[in-house]
Amino acid sequence: MSAAHEGAAGRAARRRYATLGRSVALFRAFLVEQTDPDRFYGLLAEDSVRQVAGYTALAGRTVLDVGGGPGYFAAAFRAAGAHYVGLDPDVGDFSAAGESVAGMLRGSGTALPVRTAGVDVAFSSNVLEHVPTPERMLDEMVRVTRPGGLLFVSFTPWLSPWGGHETAPWHYLGGDRARRRYQRRTGRPPKNRYRETLFPTSIGATLRWARGCAGVEVLDALPRYHPWWGRWVIRLPGIREVVAWNFLLVLRRTGTEPAGAAEKTELTGGRVAM
């Protein structure tokens, strides 16, 4: 099978998977994130692994999860045959999903304790908005990924309806104001504190970083939870910051190309507005 045919087959498979039913299921699980985290994060982990597998084989590959937190992703990646390594400032969080902390790394996403070109897949789910210097974390993920390897990064843009996390939608009136309102209503500060543990990250800035990074090639840029026919919103600067909800960037580390590597999709090649 030719590389071009493999690329077309991969795109078709991703479209069949990214259905409206899948989007609805994710949204329904999201509604109970606080009361039933096992349901939401377990579903999200399975969904994420399936997404990654649409771009590269996982069996036998080393996956670094930057900001792994509770170990839901560990179980899902290992079930797919990957060698999973989770990194988090507090590895004790892995126990929330009943996962062992053995083999986990404690460290910062902006200074990864991993050798250069040491992993096949660098993965991060909903972490970038919690980093004060997101470009530095992205640079580190590029550094540790081998040539031909995959980077899979998603985050919630600040102007998304959930951009303020538990303080949303009041973050639209300002992060500090939303934080004060939350504390008045609950008697405690939010976990995600504006400009302390939550930062106004944007799709536009992340795409500009990707365009200017000499070490990567953009494979996909899409709204992570939308059905495939909703991906066009990423082409609309400004609007995408609100309606994308959660942004996904899939990159290939440039260099010697291994067999079976992912192919570029129709949203690359300069057609995504930066």
Side-chain angles (χ1 to χ4, degrees):
M1 182 180 291
S2 69
H5 187 269
E6 288 177 355
R11 290 194 293 273
R14 291 193 289 272
R15 285 188 173 189
R16 288 195 299 271
Y17 164 61
T19 64
L20 179 60
R22 169 242 182 197
S23 298
V24 171
L26 286 169
F27 180 72
R28 286 178 173 171
F30 173 77
L31 294 177
V32 297
E33 176 197 10
Q34 299 296 316
T35 58
D36 190 0
D38 286 350
R39 175 185 170 187
F40 173 69
Y41 288 106
L43 179 62
L44 181 61
E46 292 176 3
D47 182 84
S48 299
V49 170
R50 189 170 179 179
Q51 276 189 315
V52 174
Y55 297 92
T56 186
L58 285 172
R61 303 290 176 87
T62 299
V63 176
L64 174 68
D65 182 359
V66 180
Y72 301 99
F73 290 100
F77 274 111
R78 286 169 179 161
H83 302 299
Y84 175 92
V85 178
L87 179 139
D88 199 88
D90 183 3
V91 295
D93 283 350
F94 285 96
S95 62
E99 290 291 321
S100 168
V101 298
M104 305 300 178
L105 297 177
R106 182 175 183 176
S108 168
T110 58
L112 296 173
V114 178
R115 72 176 185 272
T116 298
V119 304
D120 299 299
V121 178
F123 173 89
S124 181
S125 174
N126 297 321
V127 174
L128 204 65
E129 69 266 36
H130 301 290
V131 178
T133 54
E135 293 84 2
R136 185 172 178 182
M137 175 174 149
L138 292 167
D139 287 340
E140 276 288 271
M141 292 180 68
V142 173
R143 178 185 66 80
V144 303
T145 304
R146 66 172 179 82
L150 191 77
L151 290 90
F152 183 105
V153 184
S154 76
F155 67 91
T156 304
W158 175 248
L159 292 179
S160 158
W162 189 242
H165 289 45
E166 68 268 44
T167 68
W170 302 98
H171 68 293
Y172 285 125
L173 301 179
D176 290 325
R177 179 179 294 182
R179 175 180 175 174
R180 291 193 298 269
R181 181 185 181 276
Y182 181 92
Q183 187 157 354
R184 286 196 306 270
R185 291 178 61 87
T186 65
R188 64 181 186 277
K191 175 183 178 182
N192 299 286
R193 300 179 299 280
Y194 181 63
R195 293 198 179 277
E196 289 185 17
T197 58
L198 180 64
F199 300 87
T201 308
S202 72
I203 295 173
T206 306
L207 286 172
R208 286 192 294 273
W209 169 86
R211 180 180 60 182
C213 182
V216 298
E217 177 183 16
V218 177
L219 299 180
D220 240 335
L222 63 152
R224 182 182 184 185
Y225 305 139
H226 287 33
W228 70 265
W229 42 262
R231 57 191 296 149
W232 59 270
V233 302
I234 299 300
R235 301 181 183 183
L236 304 178
I239 293 174
R240 64 192 175 198
E241 305 290 346
V242 179
V243 302
W245 191 281
N246 192 278
F247 176 61
L248 171 61
L249 186 63
V250 184
L251 307 169
R252 177 171 54 199
R253 181 72 164 92
T254 53
T256 304
E257 187 69 9
E263 294 297 320
K264 293 177 71 175
T265 73
E266 67 271 20
L267 279 185
T268 60
R271 285 180 283 179
V272 175
M274 301 293 184

